[in-house]
Each structure stands twice: as C-alpha cells, then as structure tokens.
Amino acid sequence: MPATLQSNRDEPKLAVSCHAVTKTYGRGTAAVQALRGVDLEVRAGELLMLVGPSGCGKTTLISVIAGVLGRDAGDCVVSEHDYREMAELETTCFRGRNIGFVFQAFNLIPTLTAAENVAAPLIINGMKRHAAVHHAGEVLAKVGFDERMMRSFPQDLSGGQQQRVAIARAMVHDPRLIVCDEPTSALDSETGRMVMDLMRRVALGKDRALVVVTHDARIFEFADRIARMEDGRITKVENPPPRTNESSNGP
Amino acid sequence: MNFIALKMLVGDRAKYIGIIIGLTFASLLITQQSAIFVGIMTRTFSFLTDVGLPDMWVVDPQVQYIEDIKPLQDTQVLRVRGVAGVQWAVRMYKGGLKARLANGTFQTCVVIGLDDETLIGGPPEMLQGKLSDLRRSDGVIVDAVGARGKLARVLPNGQRVPLRVGDTLELNDHRAFVVGICRITQTFQANPVIYTTYSRATTFAPQERKLLSFVTAKAKSGEDPQTVCRRIERATGLKAYTRDEFKKLTFIYFLKYTGMPINFLTAVALGFLVGITIAGQTFYNFTLDNLRYFGTLKAMGATNRALLRMILLQALTVGAIGYGLGVGAASTWGILLSGRTQIAFRLPWQLLVISAAAVLFICLSSAALSIRKVMKLEPAVVFRS
Ligand SMILES: Nc1ncnc2c1ncn2[C@@H]1O[C@H](COP(=O)(O)OP(=O)(O)OP(=O)(O)O)[C@@H](O)[C@H]1O
Ligand SMILES: [Mg+2]
C-alpha cells in the first residue's frame, strides 16, 4: 500500500516540492493571476489528485511542476532538481528523462503506430529506433496490448485504448514523475475507471509519483491523497474515500 | 527523430503530394525555361563551335558579335601571318546572299567561304559528298536542314523535294552546283547555310572593296592563344579574340541588347513564385496542423535543435523529390522534343546546380516560417485543448 511506503524511512523522499509558487498570465489590465502562492508536496510513490473548480489554476500548476511553464516566483523542486537552477535547454532535457505526460486529448501522433508513439520518449532520449520500438512493445504489453494492436494507428483504437497507449508512452522511459491533465474526461466512466486502475497498477512505482488533475469525483478513490485547489492556492490536502475494488490493487 | 519526421510528413498524403507538386512544377519550369534560354544563347555562337580548328579570330575592332560582320582588307591575312606565335592564318568569308529558288522566289542564305587551299572552317559533319568536293567548279555544300526546308523544291502538287547533290542553285545570279550535304549545329537565325571556297564566295558576293570577314588563325603549340591575340592586336590594329572570348562577346551582346533574357527571367520568376506560394504555403499549413504534436514532442523533451532538424529533414525531403521529378520531366521533355524539332534545349550541369539552388531556397524559406513557429511554441500548450 502506498500509505505504508515511507513508514519505515527516516526522511520521506519527495517527488515534488513547491513553495510559494506564483504565476501570472499577461500583464496590465489583462493580467490573470493563475497561481497565488502554491505550497504542495508530492511524495515519491504516491498518486496525488489535484481537484478544484474550473479556472482555479490546476493546469497551470502541473505545467510548472512538469517544467513546461516557467513560474514568476517561488521554488519548485522535482526529484531533487530545482528548476531555478536549470537553464532552458537543461529543463528540456530534464523533462525528457524524468517526466511523463498524459493528456485529456491523448496527443498521439496520428501517423505513427501505437508502438512508435510509445517509443517517442526513448527516441528523444537518443535510443535507436529499433531498440526503442522493441522496448515500447514490452511496455504496451503491460497495458494489455497484443502485437496487432501495437501496430495499429491511433485512429483505429478506441478512446480507452488510446489512453492506454498514452500511459505506456508516459512511463516507457521510466520517469520519476508522471503528470496527467484530466486523463479520464474524454472517456466514459467505465473506461475511465479502467484507465485509473491501470495507472495505479502499472504506472505508479516506488520511485515514481503521479499527479492527476481531475474533475471526476468517480475516480477520487484511486488517489492516495487529494489536494483541493481554489483560486490559485492549495486549500486542503485530504485522504480519498475508501476504494471499492481494493482487492485488485495489491502490490 | 528522423523517422518520426518522415512518417509525419508522408502520413499527411494530401499535403505531402501538394508540396511535391508545387516543387516539381517550380523546378520543371525553372529548369526547362533556362535550358531553352541557354539553348538559344549557345546557338548565337554555334558557328564558332562548329569551326573547330582555329583558336583565334581576327576581326574589325567595331565588331560586337559573330554575326556582326565588318569586312577587312584582303591583305590583313598576310599581316596576321607575320605575327610571332602564329602558326597559320587563313581567310574566311561569311555573308548573307540571296538564292533564287526553282519556283522563282528568293531565300536569304548564309554563305561561308573557306580558304581555297586548306578549306579550314568547314562543316563539322558531312552527310553526303566530301569537303574536298568544293574544289569542283561552282561547288557548294548545303546544310541538311536548309536543304530539306527552305531550299527544297516545291512541286506543283505541293510536295517538297529536298535539295540534293547534283542539283543547282542560283546565288546572286551565279550558278552554284550542290556537291555535298552537311550537318551543322543549329544556328540562331534559321537561314540555310551554304559552304563554298573563299574565292568563289567573293565572286558570288556583290563586288565591294573589302570582302574578308574574318581571319582565323592558330597559335603555335606552346604559345598561349590569348597572348598571341594581344600580339596580333598590337601588330595589326585589329581585334583578335580566342574562340572562348569571341563566344563570350557574342553571348553578352545577345544578353544585353535583346529582349530575350527578360522573357526567360519572367518565366523563371513565375516558376519560382508558384513554387514559393504552393509549396511554401502547403508546407507551412502542414506544420501548423502538426503543431500540437511538435508541442507534445517538445514537452516530452525534444530540444529546439532536434525539432529544427526534423523540419529541415521534411523540407529537404520534399525538395529532393520535387527537384528530381521536375528536372526529370524537363530533361525528358527536352530529349523528346529536340529529337523531333529544332527546339533549342541545352541542360549543362551548371543549370542543374542553379535549379537545385532555387528549389533549395524555396524549401528553406518555407521551412524558415515553420521553424520560427515551432521554435516559439511554448511546450505548455500541450495541456490546452
Ligand atoms: N495562456 C494563458 N493566457 C492567459 N490566461 C490563461 C492562460 N492559461 C490559463 N489562463 C487563465 O489562468 C487561470 C487558470 O487556468 P488553468 O488552465 O490553470 O485552470 P484549470 O484549473 O486548469 O481550469 P480547468 O479546470 O478549466 O482546466 C484561468 O483563469 C485561465 O483563464
Ligand atoms: Mg485545466
């Protein structure tokens, strides 16, 4: 159980540590203060959900955490790397090695097969095509893909299958952190639960944390902790409701 | 990354083909039009190409190009012979004369009179008869295109009978006897070309004080023709050109004083513009369509440098294919047509390089817009729907 993961350690390792992070879009009268001093810690090996009303800054916050968006002020340390100390190129390479992404709209490249899509992060990190696609196949097998599905193009896959490809792509390079923005909102609730179940079982790991932004109360039970956000701040971090099919999620 | 870039490109069939069509069209137009231009321009000095033996041409200082004949005194040939470094120098006549055809009409012909003893400067290829047959009385050699075309006899039923060996012609009221048919490089003016000896040509020509058109000469082996030319100029007060200098003079004259370059430049510019607009626009749209995926790659750690290489690879791929197809189509067109017609078409390697450079320029400038867009792309866009 993730809750017991760090019980016998002196110092819990942190996957993410944000302190007083602020971010404003635009300037002058058009300025929107999206983050107004965010403090948040994500522990290694946990699945943290980020919930809150529309426009409260959830996407902005995970963008900062994932290193795709700069902050105005405050600290953000991810897997012991401080973004403040990294130049742009360094940040890009850091993302390539340590962060995985899952999007609401999947963002799979339509002209690549499932396996080639999953291979992309490895190729970006310099692996040769053949080895990368081979390794991608192994990870796709973990999310339940057979050989034929691996060779399919995204448009020939269902939404649930596409999101499974995206999950495989997010974890293929063994990142320390995976960020997911509304990964289930394009899916029906059955498929959404299946996807979350898969995330817990295969994507989460001892050294890998997941931050999942969601509106979807039906999947709250898959969280280890839930951080509530309101108007650019984290207002509360709480435990999730008890899980209904706990038995299938044993280690 | 390369295969991702290529699959991205090829996967979008419609745009991929659209870009290639644009580039093919551009390179076809650029190559074909400039090949015709070069073809026509080389015809302006094809006479110089055909007269292979001499390497120096001595003319009046006022002469601006090969067709611009300003006669010299007959004795100039002797003065040229006297210049150090000259191995030999001979006379040559070139002029336009009217031939009277069997049906009574007249046709202007180019008459070339070759040095009586050596016959230097004759046609490059004899089809019938021998060059030495010119020594027979009233002998002339007619070029095959002229013999088949403008000099052909037209029968009452409209049929054209080519001029043949044994036929006679009337040149400026003098009888001429056809002793041979030759092939020459197509000239710029489409008039028939008639070869004969210098002395006969000057009897055909209207009597004037000066009749010598050129003194053609050869430098002694070991002597630089250019140096000898300068020496001839100093000794005679005439102008002496090496063959290449004379070609260049002629070429430049046509470039400067005729409207031809403008027409061809317009066609080439059109090809260029069409290429830029069709291919450039479509390529840019292709990038815009894929912006979301470029953003995703960027978020996943692809550096700007890697994305730049992807776009360049895409642009160069369509460029190479479009160039290949365009140049291939232009050459095929040229080969097919120059076999059957008198079309001027010359495709030296320099032209291939020039059209490659034009296509490359089109590709790179199309890519530049796309690259700019992708470089400025914030990876955070991936989270926006
Ligand atoms: N690129 C941008 N330029 C200007 N304002 C922006 C930009 N992105 C987000 N905002 C604004 O910042 C605020 C926070 O946006 P954000 O997308 O982080 O919210 P969110 O919690 O993810 O909302 P949702 O649940 O609707 O996705 C909103 O008011 C939004 O309008
Ligand atoms: Mg959002």
Side-chain angles (χ1 to χ4, degrees):
Chain A
M1 279 301 300
T4 62
L5 256 177
Q6 7 108 8
S7 57
N8 46 8
R9 290 190 199 168
D10 310 325
E11 247 179 82
K13 263 211 255 169
L14 287 179
V16 179
S17 158
C18 290
H19 182 64
V21 170
T22 62
K23 173 72 188 178
T24 303
Y25 290 109
R27 44 181 71 177
T29 51
V32 178
Q33 213 180 341
L35 301 180
R36 298 165 183 263
V38 169
D39 296 309
L40 178 68
E41 291 187 342
V42 182
R43 302 166 193 155
E46 83 168 332
L47 192 159
L48 181 122
M49 276 189 194
L50 197 55
V51 303
S54 183
C56 69
K58 306 180 294 293
T59 299
T60 307
L61 179 56
I62 59 161
S63 300
V64 170
I65 290 174
V68 290
L69 186 69
R71 9 165 258 305
D72 294 340
D75 294 335
C76 185
V77 180
V78 172
S79 136
E80 287 150 9
H81 289 76
D82 191 343
Y83 282 130
R84 194 203 305 261
E85 291 163 7
M86 288 189 260
E88 193 187 320
L89 182 63
E90 237 175 307
T91 308
T92 305
C93 296
F94 173 79
R95 283 202 304 271
R97 282 189 306 272
N98 299 293
I99 315 280
F101 293 85
V102 177
F103 311 95
Q104 176 179 349
F106 323 130
N107 285 8
L108 299 175
I109 298 177
T111 51
L112 300 186
T113 64
E116 289 164 345
N117 263 290
V118 173
L122 299 174
I123 289 167
I124 289 171
N125 283 324
M127 196 186 276
K128 288 271 174 283
R129 173 186 181 177
H130 188 77
V133 173
H134 180 76
H135 186 55
E138 291 172 357
V139 179
L140 273 170
K142 286 191 199 163
V143 299
F145 266 50
D146 62 28
E147 290 281 337
R148 192 186 52 81
M149 287 156 80
M150 289 176 196
R151 284 193 301 269
S152 305
F153 288 92
Q155 79 257 22
D156 300 328
L157 298 171
S158 70
Q161 289 170 331
Q162 290 192 52
Q163 201 58 304
R164 275 149 70 189
V165 175
I167 292 169
R169 179 175 70 178
M171 55 185 272
V172 70
H173 52 309
D174 209 9
R176 311 298 290 277
L177 174 70
I178 297 179
V179 292
C180 316
D181 199 8
E182 319 241 10
T184 61
S185 10
L187 307 173
D188 62 61
S189 67
E190 184 71 18
T191 316
R193 288 183 61 87
M194 181 269 291
V195 161
M196 285 312 298
D197 178 58
L198 202 60
M199 288 224 220
R200 274 210 77 93
R201 276 192 298 116
V202 302
L204 204 58
K206 190 160 74 68
D207 290 320
R208 185 181 308 139
L210 262 67
V211 177
V212 178
V213 168
T214 187
H215 273 119
D216 188 355
R218 290 167 304 191
I219 63 166
F220 285 176
E221 60 184 271
F222 290 94
D224 291 314
R225 291 189 304 153
I226 297 179
R228 295 207 173 267
M229 209 174 164
E230 228 163 285
D231 202 15
R233 286 190 193 87
I234 302 287
T235 51
K236 206 177 353 169
V237 181
E238 57 194 13
N239 289 322
R243 210 164 316 158
T244 49
N245 51 352
E246 189 89 47
S247 52
S248 68
N249 299 329
Chain B
M1 297 305 277
N2 290 355
F3 93 94
I4 296 181
L6 292 178
K7 281 202 140 188
M8 228 180 201
L9 174 73
V10 178
D12 189 344
R13 258 311 114 96
K15 292 216 174 54
Y16 176 59
I17 291 173
I19 300 167
I20 287 182
I21 287 177
L23 291 172
T24 302
F25 187 72
S27 77
L28 169 65
L29 211 58
I30 293 171
T31 313
Q32 184 218 37
Q33 288 297 314
S34 36
I36 293 177
F37 180 63
V38 171
I40 290 181
M41 291 311 275
T42 47
R43 282 186 183 180
T44 62
F45 54 70
S46 56
F47 180 61
L48 283 166
T49 314
D50 279 358
V51 180
L53 218 43
D55 47 22
M56 300 182 292
W57 293 70
V58 185
V59 293
D60 184 276
Q62 302 298 317
V63 165
Q64 298 188 69
Y65 59 103
I66 178 82
E67 313 289 346
D68 180 25
I69 290 169
K70 301 222 160 47
L72 310 169
Q73 295 279 3
D74 249 26
T75 49
Q76 293 289 13
V77 68
L78 303 175
R79 296 179 65 191
V80 174
R81 280 180 189 151
V83 174
V86 172
Q87 186 174 6
W88 50 254
V90 296
R91 294 172 297 188
M92 184 181 275
Y93 172 85
K94 185 165 190 263
L97 293 181
K98 286 222 166 67
R100 203 174 117 99
L101 304 186
N103 64 0
T105 58
F106 288 95
Q107 167 66 49
T108 304
C109 298
V110 177
V111 172
I112 293 162
L114 310 174
D115 178 63
D116 290 54
E117 284 105 74
T118 61
L119 298 180
I120 281 171
E125 188 187 349
M126 292 298 297
L127 297 177
Q128 286 170 46
K130 305 187 297 291
L131 186 59
S132 57
D133 291 341
L134 281 185
R135 301 219 165 84
R136 290 162 63 182
S137 70
D138 300 334
V140 294
I141 293 171
V142 180
D143 90 276
V145 174
R148 249 186 286 122
K150 292 182 170 159
L151 293 178
R153 211 149 34 97
V154 185
L155 298 182
N157 64 6
Q159 211 190 327
R160 297 175 79 86
V161 181
L163 200 64
R164 274 187 296 238
V165 172
D167 287 348
T168 53
L169 280 175
E170 216 173 89
L171 277 171
N172 210 15
D173 293 334
H174 293 81
R175 197 183 92 100
F177 181 65
V178 179
V179 297
I181 303 289
C182 65
R183 198 201 316 270
I184 57 169
T185 308
Q186 191 66 34
T187 59
F188 183 52
Q189 304 161 318
N191 287 335
V193 178
I194 293 176
Y195 286 90
T196 187
T197 58
Y198 183 84
S199 51
R200 203 171 298 131
T202 50
T203 59
F204 291 160
Q207 284 306 311
E208 278 172 37
R209 204 165 50 83
K210 298 192 281 187
L211 281 167
L212 178 61
S213 309
F214 314 105
V215 174
T216 63
K218 175 115 188 139
K220 282 191 179 136
S221 70
E223 293 271 6
D224 171 29
Q226 225 167 337
T227 323
V228 180
C229 278
R230 300 298 90 83
R231 237 179 264 152
I232 294 171
E233 286 172 358
R234 258 177 276 126
T236 61
L238 300 175
K239 191 80 193 159
Y241 296 105
T242 65
R243 185 181 2 212
D244 285 343
E245 283 171 348
F246 206 19
K247 278 185 185 176
K248 200 166 152 194
L249 184 81
T250 303
F251 188 84
I252 287 173
Y253 175 84
F254 277 88
L255 269 190
K256 267 195 194 157
Y257 297 107
T258 65
M260 276 189 319
I262 305 287
N263 295 336
F264 285 99
L265 274 181
T266 311
V268 168
L270 190 73
F272 204 73
L273 277 180
V274 167
I276 290 255
T277 39
I278 298 185
Q281 178 78 36
T282 316
F283 190 82
Y284 186 61
N285 283 342
F286 160 77
T287 311
L288 288 189
D289 283 355
N290 282 290
L291 211 52
R292 154 174 228 99
Y293 308 113
F294 282 117
T296 306
L297 292 172
K298 210 166 186 174
M300 294 192 307
T303 57
N304 270 344
R305 205 186 143 105
L307 296 176
L308 175 112
R309 283 185 40 183
M310 282 179 73
I311 297 174
L312 280 181
L313 177 67
Q314 290 169 338
L316 293 179
T317 303
V318 284
I321 296 174
Y323 171 71
L325 290 177
V327 165
S331 325
T332 311
W333 180 89
I335 290 167
L336 286 183
L337 262 75
S338 57
R340 287 175 204 169
T341 64
Q342 298 306 313
I343 191 100
F345 186 90
R346 271 183 75 110
L347 195 52
W349 65 267
Q350 289 92 336
L351 266 194
L352 295 178
V353 173
I354 289 172
S355 56
V359 171
L360 187 69
F361 180 82
I362 295 174
C363 288
L364 291 184
S365 43
S366 316
L369 281 180
S370 300
I371 287 169
R372 209 178 108 89
K373 191 84 190 169
V374 170
M375 297 293 100
K376 285 173 68 176
L377 185 66
E378 286 277 353
V381 296
V382 289
F383 285 125
R384 261 165 244 144
S385 31

